[in-house]
């Protein structure tokens, strides 16, 4: 069995583990997509929590198995909540992911994203323009998303081709991707394996959903249904991954 075959088998097994263990993922999430992300996590089998109140976010982060930080709708209160939650996750050794949404738009947002990454993020995930401006990431797994997702950890690089163009027409699919990675990290300690599993699950589900959709409106509902119905054997049969050069 090749290394890629093992990654695919591990992805399928991790999907089963998520559904068996139902990890709690605390989401400091873009307010525009909170319901979509919560519903997507629940459809796959994880438990979402979403509060961003500085008064209680630390308590929620302590109860969670993993944390996802999304900078989509950022203000002073959210900056405070993010710092509190990430400190809890770091001190407790919980996995956490940063999605530096629109860090290429705002110097202050970029500085905050870099602060978070330097403070011990397990994974950094963003689109090409966001990840290009973030630049070198030495400790975290770096994920550049697009028509092909590229995962880089030290000298190891994986490319994942699963997905569908309709994902780009539904606000929140990328945000959900980050939350699913957090859910998989809660059951799989190897970050590369966990992220590969989450992106394969999301990408294969998107392909299934597109087959029964007429456009972005029907795709949104079908994608959630596809996540709920996704089987481990679907990942094994449909995964398209490869080693990247360089």
């Amino acid at each position: 069995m090749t290394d890629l075959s093992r990654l695919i088998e591990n992805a399928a097994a991790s999907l089963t583990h998520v559904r068996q263990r139902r990890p709690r993922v605390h989401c400091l999430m873009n307010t525009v997509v909170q319901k979509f992300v919560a519903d997507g996590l629940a459809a796959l089998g994880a438990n979402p929590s979403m509060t961003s109140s500085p008064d209680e976010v630390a308590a929620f982060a302590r109860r969670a198995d993993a944390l996802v930080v999304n900078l989509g709708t950022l203000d002073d209160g959210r900056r405070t909540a993010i710092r509190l939650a990430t400190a809890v996750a770091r001190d407790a050794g919980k996995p956490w992911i940063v999605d530096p949404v629109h860090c290429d738009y705002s110097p202050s947002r970029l500085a905050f994203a870099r602060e978070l990454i330097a403070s011990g993020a397990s994974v950094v995930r963003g689109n090409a323009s966001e990840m290009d401006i973030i630049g070198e990431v030495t400790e975290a797994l770096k994920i550049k998303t697009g028509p092909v997702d590229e995962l880089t950890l030290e000298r190891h690089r994986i490319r994942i081709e699963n997905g569908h163009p309709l994902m780009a027409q539904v606000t929140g699919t990328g945000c959900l991707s980050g939350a699913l990675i957090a859910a998989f990290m809660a059951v799989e300690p190897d970050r590369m394996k966990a992220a590969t599993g989450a992106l394969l699950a999301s990408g294969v589900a998107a392909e299934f959903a597109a087959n029964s959709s007429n456009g972005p409106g029907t795709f949104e509902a079908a994608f959630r249904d596809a996540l709920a119905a996704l089987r481990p054997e679907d990942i094994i049969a449909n995964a398209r991954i490869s080693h990247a050069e360089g």
Side-chain angles (χ1 to χ4, degrees):
M1 184 182 293
T2 67
D3 289 344
L4 292 177
S5 296
R6 289 191 181 94
L7 273 176
I8 294 168
E9 293 281 358
N10 185 272
S14 292
L15 173 62
T16 298
H17 294 155
V18 168
R19 288 174 171 160
Q20 289 173 339
R21 301 180 194 177
R22 298 189 58 81
R24 180 165 295 281
V25 178
H26 192 67
C27 307
L28 288 167
M29 188 58 56
N30 183 341
T31 56
V32 176
V33 302
Q34 285 181 328
K35 184 179 187 303
F36 180 81
V37 171
D39 287 347
L41 280 169
L44 195 75
N47 282 308
S49 56
M50 311 294 288
T51 184
S52 60
S53 167
D55 292 338
E56 59 183 8
V57 70
F60 274 78
R62 288 188 190 97
R63 294 287 298 273
D65 299 295
L67 172 70
V68 55
V69 172
N70 180 295
L71 305 188
T73 47
L74 193 60
D75 54 32
D76 288 344
R78 283 182 174 273
R79 286 174 186 264
T80 297
I82 288 168
R83 288 187 175 109
L84 290 168
T86 55
V88 167
R90 182 175 61 251
D91 292 347
K94 299 176 188 286
W96 58 286
I97 177 171
V98 176
D99 189 341
V101 178
H102 293 325
C103 67
D104 52 331
Y105 285 26
S106 161
S108 65
R109 185 178 295 227
L110 175 59
F112 187 52
R114 286 175 170 162
E115 171 195 325
L116 294 173
I117 294 165
S119 71
S122 308
V123 176
V124 186
R125 174 225 165 272
N127 63 31
S129 59
E130 292 160 355
M131 297 309 289
D132 286 348
I133 199 169
I134 286 290
E136 188 71 20
V137 174
T138 57
E139 300 293 336
L141 169 63
K142 183 176 181 178
I143 302 174
K144 183 186 293 188
T145 61
V148 177
D149 296 330
E150 298 180 1
L151 292 71
T152 304
L153 183 61
E154 298 173 344
R155 292 176 296 174
H156 304 288
R157 296 181 63 193
I158 296 292
R159 292 164 54 89
I160 298 176
E161 298 181 26
N162 293 95
H164 193 276
L166 279 171
M167 297 177 80
Q169 298 182 44
V170 176
T171 300
T173 56
C175 304
L176 175 57
S177 169
L180 294 178
I181 292 168
F184 273 66
M185 285 197 295
V187 302
E188 168 51 69
D190 185 305
R191 291 173 289 175
M192 181 68 87
K193 291 178 180 178
T196 298
L199 292 171
L200 286 175
S202 177
V204 171
E207 291 167 359
F208 287 1
N211 290 334
S212 60
S213 301
N214 298 317
T218 50
F219 174 80
E220 181 174 345
F223 183 42
R224 190 165 65 247
D225 288 345
L227 286 170
L230 188 68
R231 303 171 301 168
E233 53 264 40
D234 295 327
I235 294 177
I236 293 171
N238 294 278
R240 299 195 308 280
I241 70 174
S242 60
H243 290 294
E245 298 297 327

